[in-house]
């Protein structure tokens, strides 16, 4: 893409990069007409299907933002990566992995069928609902607020503020999520849950209803790209082993039954949510050519129109384009 030595941190090159990203966001804006905004949680239907935004934050501090960057949205399934991390910190990696496996399902995020037909001894992975609800049951605390305290503390440490709970989304999800209750009862019957069912589901619905922005996602992704360490303070926020495990899960299971395609065509760990957010992680890469963000970056995308798997259509196309242009693939 670029010949010769480039210092990406100069204002001129940053502006040049910004123009490219603006063009790409404008181009992929047309894809927001495809797919549909999630409706199984009624309040999510209020999102504007036309919105598309991206925020990129380099480990070196460089920032590029474009499109609808200011729109707050709920974290939804992206929370699963971070409750998994908190469970590993609180309970130890080997204990967590003895309760939830690390295998992709190849099925929908809210599938129950796989658990029953394949006679598994534990849910497939922490990023599908069955595994995520099991992980939530493992968080320490006897109320939803206490159970979520570790999650809030982790977010606050990374983001520098405590993101709010969107109470309307929580109520809408609590009132409508028959499928998650069915999954919960199945987990209960199988003896997988470590806390009482109603408490576990209340906590799970609340963790999904925390409101964030794409800048937050870019920062969360950037910390994972840097193996859990804050590059400006060198503080270890997430233990390296846990950060790496989270990235493995994102790559193999983070985009549900589209994870294989995402790995093939984009090639970086990512996690989506039904409100249209995606967090993507581009680790540092050693290449002999000159490309931006060689030191690694986190990327947050928002585009609420989803495909059948529950992933943002325009968001994935935009990520794919950027990953190819900048050779972000880890493979
Ligand atoms: O479990 C649910 O229904 C949601 N609160 C989270 C699902 C989700 O984000 C799946 N994403 N693609």
């Amino acid at each position: 893409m670029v010949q010769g030595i480039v210092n990406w941190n100069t204002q001129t090159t940053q502006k040049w990069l910004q123009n490219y990203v603006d063009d790409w966001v404008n181009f992929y804006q047309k894809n927001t007409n495809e797919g549909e905004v999630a409706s199984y949680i009624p309040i999510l239907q209020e999102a504007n299907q036309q919105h598309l935004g991206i925020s990129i934050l380099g480990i070196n501090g460089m920032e590029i933002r474009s499109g609808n960057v200011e729109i707050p949205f709920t974290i939804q399934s992206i929370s699963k990566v971070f409750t998994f991390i908190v469970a590993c910190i609180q309970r130890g990696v080997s204990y967590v992995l003895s309760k939830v496996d690390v295998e992709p399902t190849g099925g929908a995020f809210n599938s129950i069928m796989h658990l029953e037909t394949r006679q598994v001894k534990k849910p497939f992975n922490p990023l599908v609902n069955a595994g995520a609800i099991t992980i939530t049951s493992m968080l320490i605390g006897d109320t939803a607020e206490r159970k979520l305290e570790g999650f809030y503390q982790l977010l606050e440490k990374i983001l520098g503020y405590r993101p709010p709970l969107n109470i309307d989304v929580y109520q809408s999800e609590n009132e409508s999520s028959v499928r998650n209750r069915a999954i919960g009862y199945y987990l209960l019957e199988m003896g997988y849950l470590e806390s009482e069912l109603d408490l576990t589901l209340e906590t799970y619905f609340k963790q999904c209803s925390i409101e964030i922005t794409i800048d937050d996602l870019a920062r969360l992704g950037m910390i994972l790209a840097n193996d859990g360490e804050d590059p400006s303070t060198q503080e270890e926020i997430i233990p390296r082993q846990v950060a790496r495990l989270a990235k493995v899960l994102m790559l193999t299971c983070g985009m549900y039954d589209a994870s294989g395609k995402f790995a093939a065509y984009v090639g970086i760990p990512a996690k989506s949510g039904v409100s249209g957010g995606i967090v993507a992680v581009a680790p540092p890469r050693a290449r002999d050519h000159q490309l931006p963000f060689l030191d690694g970056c986190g990327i947050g995308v928002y585009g609420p129109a989803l495909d059948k798997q529950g992933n943002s259509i325009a968001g994935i196309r935009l990520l794919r384009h950027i990953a190819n242009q900048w050779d972000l693939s880890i493979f």
Side-chain angles (χ1 to χ4, degrees):
M1 176 185 169
V2 182
Q3 303 296 320
I5 304 294
V6 179
N7 176 3
W8 291 105
N9 278 334
T10 67
Q11 272 186 348
T12 322
T13 48
Q14 187 153 349
K15 192 158 181 299
W16 184 76
L17 219 48
Q18 177 75 50
N19 289 339
Y20 267 108
V21 176
D22 288 343
D23 283 352
W24 297 337
V25 170
N26 285 336
F27 182 80
Y28 287 100
Q29 180 72 46
K30 69 178 186 307
N31 295 112
T32 61
N33 290 323
E34 296 171 44
E36 277 173 26
V37 168
S39 58
Y40 75 98
I41 302 173
I43 200 171
L44 295 184
Q45 281 180 91
E46 291 172 14
N48 182 342
Q49 165 139 16
Q50 309 294 317
H51 280 158
L52 179 64
I54 188 163
S55 175
I56 308 167
L57 178 61
I59 288 174
N60 65 4
M62 186 163 85
E63 230 182 327
I64 305 278
R65 305 161 78 232
S66 188
N68 303 110
V69 289
E70 308 290 352
I71 315 289
F73 54 94
T74 49
I75 189 167
Q76 296 296 339
S77 282
I78 298 169
S79 65
K80 294 167 179 170
V81 175
F82 298 94
T83 46
F84 167 73
I85 290 170
V86 174
C88 288
I89 294 171
Q90 291 182 345
R91 309 293 296 268
V93 172
S94 41
Y95 184 77
V96 171
L97 297 187
S98 74
K99 299 286 176 181
V100 181
D101 217 332
V102 289
E103 289 298 340
T105 63
F109 67 89
N110 55 4
S111 166
I112 311 181
M113 184 185 76
H114 285 82
L115 285 173
E116 202 182 13
T117 55
R118 285 162 61 180
Q119 292 289 306
V120 286
K121 301 253 174 323
K122 47 190 174 183
F124 281 89
N125 68 70
L127 302 189
V128 288
N129 287 18
I133 293 170
T134 306
I135 292 286
T136 298
S137 82
M138 296 167 69
L139 299 175
I140 291 169
D142 53 5
T143 64
E145 284 61 40
R146 288 197 193 113
K147 269 177 146 337
L148 288 179
E149 186 52 29
F151 177 53
Y152 271 121
Q153 279 177 10
L154 179 68
L155 294 181
E156 194 170 8
K157 218 169 193 182
I158 296 174
L159 305 179
Y161 83 109
R162 194 172 272 234
L165 177 77
N166 183 324
I167 195 77
D168 297 331
V169 172
Y170 163 67
Q171 276 162 358
S172 187
E173 178 146 0
N174 191 34
E175 283 156 16
S176 60
S177 201
V178 179
R179 173 65 72 100
N180 279 327
R181 288 188 197 281
I183 293 173
Y185 277 109
Y186 186 78
L187 297 171
L188 181 66
E189 186 200 5
M190 297 304 285
Y192 296 148
L193 294 185
E194 301 215 351
S195 62
E196 193 254 321
L197 177 60
D198 283 343
L199 169 62
T200 304
L201 288 176
E202 180 191 344
T203 312
Y204 174 73
F205 297 149
K206 283 186 172 160
Q207 80 184 47
C208 290
S209 306
I210 289 172
E211 203 164 71
I212 45 141
T213 65
I214 47 174
D215 289 336
D216 296 332
L217 289 182
R219 190 154 178 83
L220 291 165
M222 184 276 287
I223 296 292
L224 285 173
N226 202 32
D227 279 345
E229 188 183 287
D230 185 335
S232 51
T233 60
Q234 273 80 49
E235 183 191 359
E236 184 187 75
I237 299 181
I238 302 166
R240 173 179 286 246
Q241 179 203 13
V242 177
R244 289 198 170 160
L245 203 44
K247 285 184 275 189
V248 171
L249 287 167
M250 290 166 80
L251 187 84
T252 53
C253 319
M255 306 299 280
Y256 303 112
D257 37 336
S259 298
K261 284 190 192 61
F262 193 88
Y265 298 119
V266 186
I268 51 176
K271 180 77 201 85
S272 62
V274 281
S275 54
I278 303 175
V279 59
V281 176
R285 59 212 196 283
R287 305 274 207 273
D288 56 6
H289 43 227
Q290 292 294 323
L291 291 163
F293 296 107
L294 273 180
D295 299 328
C297 63
I299 307 176
V301 172
Y302 176 64
L306 309 178
D307 59 19
K308 279 198 305 291
Q309 283 85 17
N311 298 319
S312 169
I313 294 182
I316 288 187
R317 301 228 173 120
L318 178 62
L319 273 173
R320 177 177 172 169
H321 187 92
I322 290 180
N324 287 327
Q325 286 294 318
W326 295 349
D327 201 15
L328 296 179
S329 171
I330 63 171
F331 297 103

